[in-house]
Amino acid sequence: MATRDTEVVQQIVEEIRRRVLDVIGDNNVRCVFVSGSVSRDEVTAHESDGVIELYSDVDIGIVVSSSVDTQAAKERIRREIARIPREGNAFHMYAPPDVGVYRVDEMMRQKARPGTVNFGGAKILYGEPDIVTDAAISIGTNIDPGEALYLIENRLNESAEAERMLTDDATRGQIRYATYIGLKCYLDIATAVLIVLGRYRDTRSERMEALEDPLVRSEMLSIIGDEVAAEIRQCWLALQDLSGFFTRISGNERAFFSTIYRALAHSWRGVALRAYGSTEKEWAELLHRRTRYGKQLRNTRELLALARRMGWGGPRLYRRLFELRMVSGVELLRMTSLLEGVKEGADDKTRHFVNEICVPCLEVLTHLGGISNGQVFERGRALNRAIS
């Protein structure tokens, strides 16, 4: 049975569908679908003074004809969707819709990760359902352990952005939404652990149930430790009673985010050790491996592919290739928030790698991407959003 929160989300999803077809044209759209929690009608919301605050992400996938420039289409769709009101007298949707645009061949080549292995449960809003069904079969459910690191890196970036909402002029609704993001980021430590153990489950409740298995729990404790594991459980209970949690944490949100960062960074190291099959690597060595330090040819090819996709070119690009050859630009951007925190209190080798290799490359990358305002790590997060 539909509730107020799901009804609001369904109306916005329908408006997105309509505008996508208007902007791209019916003849250029093969399929439009919604995936993730919204496709399962599992919307996270909180009611305050009669207003429904919607916190769930709305994940929209659009499959276009082979003749369509997917990057240009994505930019046009994002601009159009940004015009859709996300606030009314009785609701406020805080998270902007997340839109992916693909050709059929690109859909079939998607990696197995938390955002794609659930395509089999997607709701088709328009077009050919077989495309999504076939993609789900092609993608499968075997998630590479490296995706666990990618997930934690994304959550570090997301939690850093959420903490920036905690300004003096932030509304209580904005503070509640930021705090919810913090809970979500913390809970995804469990998701990362299950990925690296090959035990991923699609919903949060299924993941928490999987962690009750004695063998899984023992492995989890060896990766992230007792303290973080206990905090994951507390965050899960908090999600079941958001109103009570918001009341308990009121005024202490920044301290909560400090806890989140420490837990995510600590867990990244534990997951990296497991993913790389090592128990001896120090921070600097793990960062070297994750950024593909020294893999000059591969890093250059990756940057050229990114430049083509983003429309970067000309002499400025080729002058920068030499400066950016030592690390993967894509991985570096994903790791922005991890690097920002790791350098504080790090050993000399780690601090040298971050300050002398990573930060100069972030400076070059963000200027190449047209982002020059703000502190370098903020710019790195902004560029990471732009290329994702």
Side-chain angles (χ1 to χ4, degrees):
M1 186 173 70
T3 57
R4 285 179 62 197
D5 48 9
T6 58
E7 285 177 350
V8 171
V9 172
Q10 288 165 5
Q11 290 169 8
I12 291 177
V13 165
E14 172 57 24
E15 181 63 15
I16 292 172
R17 183 199 68 83
R18 187 186 66 79
R19 295 198 184 204
V20 165
L21 296 178
D22 286 346
V23 169
I24 304 301
D26 300 25
N27 58 324
N28 286 322
V29 177
R30 300 280 303 273
C31 182
V32 181
F33 63 93
V34 60
S35 60
S37 60
V38 171
S39 69
R40 299 187 296 266
D41 292 327
E42 296 176 352
V43 175
T44 303
H46 169 74
E47 184 170 350
S48 176
D49 297 327
V51 175
I52 296 291
E53 296 177 353
L54 298 160
Y55 303 146
S56 293
D57 297 324
V58 177
D59 298 309
I60 299 287
I62 302 156
V63 185
V64 295
S65 303
S66 58
S67 59
V68 174
D69 180 332
T70 53
Q71 187 64 30
K74 188 174 184 178
E75 291 172 2
R76 289 174 62 196
I77 290 167
R78 281 182 170 176
R79 286 195 299 269
E80 182 62 28
I81 289 177
R83 298 189 179 100
I84 298 175
R86 301 204 316 270
E87 185 174 3
N89 292 330
F91 77 94
H92 190 151
M93 176 180 277
Y94 281 91
D98 188 9
V99 178
V101 181
Y102 319 91
R103 295 190 301 271
V104 173
D105 61 310
E106 292 171 333
M107 273 284 287
M108 301 304 160
R109 292 199 306 268
Q110 290 298 300
K111 289 184 177 181
R113 53 173 55 115
T116 62
V117 295
N118 60 20
F119 277 175
K123 283 186 177 178
I124 307 302
L125 307 176
Y126 172 86
E128 308 168 43
D130 288 350
I131 292 175
V132 183
T133 302
D134 292 345
I137 295 170
S138 176
I139 292 166
T141 58
N142 186 24
I143 304 178
D144 185 273
E147 293 294 326
L149 295 173
Y150 181 17
L151 177 63
I152 294 177
E153 290 154 10
N154 277 347
R155 293 300 176 250
L156 279 161
N157 287 332
E158 191 174 0
S159 61
E161 293 295 325
E163 186 176 11
R164 292 184 65 198
M165 299 182 197
L166 305 179
T167 61
D168 291 339
D169 57 352
T171 67
R172 289 308 307 171
Q174 289 170 326
I175 292 172
R176 285 191 289 267
Y177 173 55
T179 307
Y180 161 75
I181 292 177
L183 280 176
K184 181 184 75 169
C185 291
Y186 212 123
L187 283 168
D188 267 339
I189 294 173
T191 310
V193 168
L194 290 172
I195 289 172
V196 84
L197 293 178
R199 301 290 293 269
Y200 175 77
R201 299 293 182 271
D202 199 28
T203 68
R204 285 195 187 116
S205 58
E206 289 171 335
R207 293 194 285 272
M208 295 305 297
E209 184 178 346
L211 294 178
E212 295 303 314
D213 179 281
L215 180 59
V216 173
R217 182 163 183 80
S218 175
E219 293 280 10
M220 174 179 67
L221 295 179
S222 72
I223 294 171
I224 61 175
D226 294 3
E227 183 177 347
V228 174
E231 286 294 332
I232 288 171
R233 182 65 183 173
Q234 291 304 309
C235 286
W236 172 242
L237 295 174
L239 196 64
Q240 314 311 303
D241 178 23
L242 278 175
S243 181
F245 178 70
F246 291 151
T247 299
R248 290 194 303 275
I249 204 172
S250 180
N252 295 302
E253 290 87 2
R254 288 194 179 277
F256 177 52
F257 274 95
S258 295
T259 300
I260 293 167
Y261 179 84
R262 287 194 298 271
L264 284 166
H266 169 79
S267 300
W268 185 95
R269 186 177 186 277
V271 169
L273 289 171
R274 180 61 65 97
Y276 295 146
S278 171
T279 58
E280 298 179 355
K281 288 186 171 64
E282 299 299 327
W283 266 108
E285 296 174 68
L286 292 171
L287 296 178
H288 285 181
R289 183 154 182 176
R290 187 60 175 161
T291 58
R292 298 205 301 268
Y293 181 59
K295 306 291 185 181
Q296 299 183 39
L297 182 58
R298 184 177 176 185
N299 294 335
T300 300
R301 286 174 173 168
E302 179 189 68
L303 183 60
L304 286 170
L306 175 63
R308 284 194 298 270
R309 180 162 66 86
M310 300 302 296
W312 305 340
R316 184 177 62 164
L317 170 64
Y318 294 101
R319 285 197 301 269
R320 299 302 195 185
L321 290 178
F322 184 79
E323 299 172 79
L324 297 171
R325 74 196 188 285
M326 293 302 293
V327 294
S328 161
V330 172
E331 300 296 351
L332 189 66
L333 291 170
R334 288 173 180 168
M335 296 172 65
T336 296
S337 293
L338 178 69
L339 295 168
E340 180 180 23
V342 162
K343 74 169 189 171
E344 302 299 330
D347 59 88
D348 290 343
K349 187 176 179 181
T350 302
R351 192 180 303 110
H352 179 271
F353 179 67
V354 174
N355 290 334
E356 303 302 322
I357 303 296
C358 297
V359 169
C361 285
L362 281 173
E363 293 277 6
V364 172
L365 273 170
T366 53
H367 284 289
L368 191 61
I371 301 174
S372 55
N373 293 326
Q375 189 251 14
V376 65
F377 293 110
E378 293 174 7
R379 300 201 310 269
R381 284 188 284 270
L383 184 56
N384 184 56
R385 288 196 305 272
I387 70 170
S388 299

